[in-house]
Amino acid sequence: MLSSEVVKLLNEQINKEMYAANLYLAMSSWCYENSFDGAGAFLFAHASEESEHAKRLITYLNETDSKVELEAVKKPEQNFSSLLDVFEKTFAHEQGITKSINNLVEHMLAHKDYATFNFLQWYVSEQHEEEALFRGIVDKIKLMSDNGNGLYLADQYIKTLMAK
Ligand code: OFO
């Protein structure tokens, strides 16, 4: 049985994952509006991954007979200044999520909740991958933006990352 503190912390993480899903949907729409269809498709697909991250937590709470308490999700930012701005913000967001996951892991260890500690290892690996993914996109946009067709090429490149 999970402690009430762990249930509260995991519910808070669900809210963060749902916020990430909405943020990436908002970013996807901004990309489509600004003719970055590759990035739009990539972020639209990535929003679904974030929903899956939330569902995985919900399933864990259900499996442990714990209360799932869904809260209102705060409104995501909708306006961005450039494709680079979008992806710098995705990267910063993922860094924040990594901190949040690390805090959860530390809590589980400190309180000897080894089952939840083990469950969270999937998120530790996922955050490692996601930070690398978004950092790579930021780097590519910066690299490609230096020539006239660069943003178009960057958009096409981002689309190729969808299956990863
Ligand atoms: Fe992007 O990993 Fe969940 O939040």
Side-chain angles (χ1 to χ4, degrees):
M1 188 175 169
L2 303 183
S3 73
S4 57
E5 180 65 9
V6 168
V7 172
K8 179 173 155 288
L9 291 171
L10 295 183
N11 272 296
E12 285 170 5
Q13 190 63 35
I14 290 169
N15 191 272
K16 290 176 189 174
E17 302 294 347
M18 295 305 289
Y19 173 77
N22 281 359
L23 176 64
Y24 293 165
L25 285 177
M27 289 172 160
S28 164
S29 296
W30 182 92
C31 288
Y32 278 118
E33 281 167 26
N34 289 277
S35 302
F36 296 119
D37 291 6
F42 170 82
L43 287 163
F44 193 83
H46 205 83
S48 300
E49 283 195 29
E50 298 300 344
S51 300
E52 288 302 321
H53 299 171
K55 285 185 194 164
R56 192 177 272 259
L57 284 154
I58 290 170
T59 299
Y60 185 73
L61 288 172
N62 286 334
E63 284 170 351
T64 52
D65 272 344
S66 307
K67 179 89 179 137
V68 172
E69 299 215 53
L70 299 179
E71 300 281 347
V73 179
K74 80 175 176 192
K75 185 176 175 180
E77 183 175 355
Q78 321 265 338
N79 296 309
F80 306 94
S81 59
S82 64
L83 190 63
L84 180 60
D85 182 40
V86 167
F87 281 94
E88 282 181 332
K89 282 175 177 159
T90 61
F91 181 47
H93 179 78
E94 290 301 334
Q95 287 178 305
I97 292 291
T98 299
K99 271 196 195 121
S100 179
I101 296 294
N102 288 347
N103 288 341
L104 287 174
V105 168
E106 278 167 26
H107 179 94
M108 302 315 152
L109 259 191
H111 293 82
K112 297 186 169 35
D113 183 341
Y114 300 117
T116 308
F117 173 83
N118 189 50
F119 164 74
L120 288 170
Q121 296 313 302
W122 182 88
Y123 289 86
V124 172
S125 305
E126 182 70 8
Q127 283 313 118
H128 172 75
E129 277 180 26
E130 295 211 335
E131 279 201 30
L133 175 67
F134 285 108
R135 183 190 303 108
I137 293 174
V138 168
D139 289 346
K140 284 285 190 306
I141 295 172
K142 284 182 181 165
L143 204 65
M144 292 176 169
S145 300
D146 286 345
N147 80 60
N149 296 323
L151 280 177
Y152 174 76
L153 294 175
D155 184 53
Q156 294 301 302
Y157 166 74
I158 292 164
K159 194 172 183 183
T160 68
L161 300 174
M162 269 177 67
K164 294 183 183 172

